[in-house]
Amino acid sequence: MALGLMAAMCSGLHGEPLRLPLWEGAPPGFSANAVPENIDAAGTVSNVSVPSLEVHLPPRAAATGLALIACPGGSYSRVGLVTSGMGMVDYFVPKGVAIIVLKYRTRPPSTAVEVDALADAKRAVRLVRLHAAEWAVNPARIGMVGGSAGAHLVLNLATHWDRGDPRAPTPIDRQSCRPDFIGLLCPWPNGQPVGDFPVTRETPAAFVASARDDRVAPSAFAEAIAAAYAQAGVNCRLWLLAKGGHTAFKLGANRGEGSRWPERLSTWIEAIDIKAPAAPSVR
């Protein structure tokens, strides 16, 4: 079944999101005989073997053309806050921004979760770009925002994307999987040095937010990302908070300065549409 038709069939009533699988048939590296997925009351999903998208679209007349793919965290063992898209749905959709929540594969059942999750992230961007006209999205304004392990996944994609295969038999595989910009909230290194994420002149611009007292995702990693961007001459806005820990930017968890990240991200997105790449600034 074509993905466009599938999306239409999955469309609910009264503003319900579109829910569609990322892959037609089993995804690459599929874990057969996996235990069923589990989702708790907070919208955190574990045991993900069949990745999917949850697409929240504003009314077409109000759409700005901007789309943000949300990649929640969870140490690659779960995907947190899927139903709210890290709180992004309630904030951005009323402002005309499409929010597409990626439920990527987890460990378990995956035995190569970084590889599988990266394949899911690439597929997500291709899918949004393929459906851009249908969803009133500008194919040149598709961003990806992740928190913690989701930020690791976003950074991995931003530094390992491809342009698609123009000779591919299916339209989706002809699409580029490069996000047009990225947002990294409390980026978690997953035990890797920043050198594993090669930033070049073609790497998407980045908004990076971290708290200096974060013991899970040290701010030194965020600073190293910004330094790599500066070295490559690519736009990067680094926002460091003195306090807030690993939940500094979790919407609904606090009312501190970090809860204003959607406003700062929105301002930065509008600025990079008209400004040339610049060295990162710490604020």
Side-chain angles (χ1 to χ4, degrees):
M1 181 181 294
L3 286 170
L5 177 59
M6 186 181 296
M9 292 178 65
C10 293
S11 176
L13 301 174
H14 308 299
E16 287 294 311
L18 309 175
R19 295 184 178 91
L20 62 157
L22 273 179
W23 306 89
E24 294 188 50
F30 178 68
S31 299
N33 304 314
V35 299
E37 286 184 8
N38 179 68
I39 183 167
D40 66 17
T44 296
V45 187
S46 55
N47 298 318
V48 179
S49 60
V50 180
S52 63
L53 294 183
E54 188 163 293
V55 184
H56 301 261
L57 301 175
R60 194 173 188 90
T64 63
L66 179 64
L68 299 176
I69 302 172
C71 296
S75 303
Y76 286 118
S77 63
R78 60 197 181 280
V79 183
L81 304 173
V82 169
T83 51
S84 69
M86 307 192 303
M88 293 170 63
V89 173
D90 288 344
Y91 182 90
F92 284 103
V93 174
K95 293 176 171 56
V97 179
I99 298 296
I100 298 98
V101 187
L102 172 59
K103 183 179 70 174
Y104 52 89
R105 279 172 284 178
T106 61
R107 176 187 51 235
S110 173
T111 57
V113 72
E114 290 86 356
V115 173
D116 290 341
L118 179 59
D120 295 342
K122 290 181 176 182
R123 182 79 170 186
V125 177
R126 295 192 214 279
L127 189 57
V128 175
R129 200 156 268 136
L130 181 67
H131 286 288
E134 179 185 345
W135 294 346
V137 166
N138 182 336
R141 297 192 82 207
I142 299 171
M144 197 169 230
V145 180
S148 191
H152 177 275
L153 175 57
V154 171
L155 180 61
N156 201 16
L157 173 60
T159 53
H160 296 92
W161 54 272
D162 64 74
R163 300 182 190 279
D165 181 358
R167 297 169 295 180
T170 55
I172 188 169
D173 291 320
R174 299 173 205 149
Q175 305 294 322
S176 168
C177 66
R178 179 189 183 274
D180 296 297
F181 56 89
I182 61 171
L184 308 176
L185 308 175
C186 298
W188 178 58
N190 193 25
Q192 296 175 259
V194 75
D196 285 354
F197 308 95
V199 179
T200 72
R201 291 288 299 178
E202 294 188 304
T203 302
F207 175 93
V208 185
S210 183
R212 294 191 186 278
D213 63 346
D214 189 337
R215 298 293 178 259
V216 177
S219 61
F221 184 63
E223 293 178 271
I225 294 169
Y229 266 80
Q231 181 74 21
V234 179
N235 187 299
C236 178
R237 172 58 59 87
L238 175 62
W239 180 30
L240 295 177
L241 296 181
K243 296 185 178 300
H246 200 53
T247 60
F249 307 98
K250 186 175 179 181
L251 296 180
N254 61 70
R255 296 186 179 180
E257 187 181 2
S259 65
R260 297 183 58 194
W261 72 260
E263 302 168 42
R264 285 180 172 255
L265 176 67
S266 298
T267 300
W268 175 77
I269 290 170
E270 293 307 312
I272 63 172
D273 280 347
I274 56 174
K275 291 183 178 178
S281 58
V282 179
R283 298 183 63 179

